[in-house]
Amino acid sequence: MKHLFITIILFVAASTLMAQKFERSVGVRLGYSNGIFFDIQNKDLSSYRFMVNWRDGGRQVTAMRYFHRYKLDKLPKYLSFYYGYGIHAGYSKWDQYKQDMEHGYYWEEVSAPVVGLDALIGISYDLERLPLSVTCDAKPFFDFWGRKVFNAMPLDLAVSVIYHF
């Protein structure tokens, strides 16, 4: 009887460990805009992503909302599709060729603030036994100000590794 009771307790404890709610995630994004991010998942299968990324010699902070689509008919069960939108703010740096009467021709490092809009579309592979996901996504963005008054990047492709907890 004692062994049966211990077996039942272990079985219930193990089943609760397998049924964790993954409501938060951290990840690393490797692409044109490299970055690290933190995700918070809502109950309606949408998530908020807060990312610090670096590109064009500068840093940006991005806030996004994206939506998950699981178990689509044409995808295997461990693949999911996601899409979303967001905003970013930060700065960019670049070297600019200048000329004046005192110094002649020279290069000067210039920086400018950047504010813009983002979109996100991607596919995620969720590992079955580990709380990890590998994603491939495109994050097109539009910058206002910065090096140009309006800068559009239609294809910012990246691969990410995400740990869920």
Side-chain angles (χ1 to χ4, degrees):
M1 185 70 175
K2 182 178 177 183
H3 295 290
L4 179 64
F5 185 68
I6 291 173
T7 305
I8 290 172
I9 289 175
L10 289 176
F11 180 73
V12 169
S15 66
T16 59
L17 287 176
M18 297 300 280
Q20 291 182 14
K21 294 181 185 178
F22 296 121
E23 296 174 346
R24 293 179 178 35
S25 307
V26 293
V28 176
R29 185 176 195 273
L30 302 173
Y32 179 73
S33 298
N34 296 321
I36 55 174
F37 57 86
F38 177 72
D39 290 348
I40 300 171
Q41 185 170 5
N42 296 329
K43 299 200 185 307
D44 63 351
L45 294 181
S46 68
S47 294
Y48 292 103
R49 176 172 286 179
F50 302 100
M51 182 180 344
V52 176
N53 55 345
W54 47 94
R55 63 177 147 79
D56 295 335
R59 305 288 181 267
Q60 290 84 32
V61 176
T62 305
M64 302 189 82
R65 182 170 187 195
Y66 66 98
F67 305 92
H68 304 272
R69 296 294 175 248
Y70 296 101
K71 298 182 182 176
L72 295 175
D73 291 337
K74 301 190 190 293
L75 292 177
K77 79 177 192 180
Y78 295 111
L79 287 179
S80 62
F81 175 74
Y82 60 95
Y83 59 93
Y85 57 89
I87 60 172
H88 65 268
Y91 69 93
S92 63
K93 287 197 290 190
W94 65 95
D95 290 331
Q96 188 168 346
Y97 191 64
K98 293 201 171 191
Q99 171 191 8
D100 66 13
M101 298 305 275
E102 282 183 41
H103 302 100
Y105 297 100
Y106 62 98
W107 290 95
E108 182 177 83
E109 188 175 88
V110 180
S111 64
V114 172
V115 176
L117 302 173
D118 297 283
L120 181 68
I121 185 168
I123 194 162
S124 174
Y125 178 76
D126 304 321
L127 298 175
E128 182 178 4
R129 304 262 181 200
L130 297 173
L132 292 175
S133 295
V134 178
T135 66
C136 182
D137 61 38
K139 188 176 83 65
F141 61 87
F142 303 99
D143 285 340
F144 302 104
W145 299 299
R147 188 172 189 169
K148 300 177 185 174
V149 174
F150 180 76
N151 181 27
M153 178 63 157
L155 216 53
D156 178 5
L157 296 175
V159 174
S160 301
V161 176
I162 303 170
Y163 173 72
H164 306 280
F165 56 96

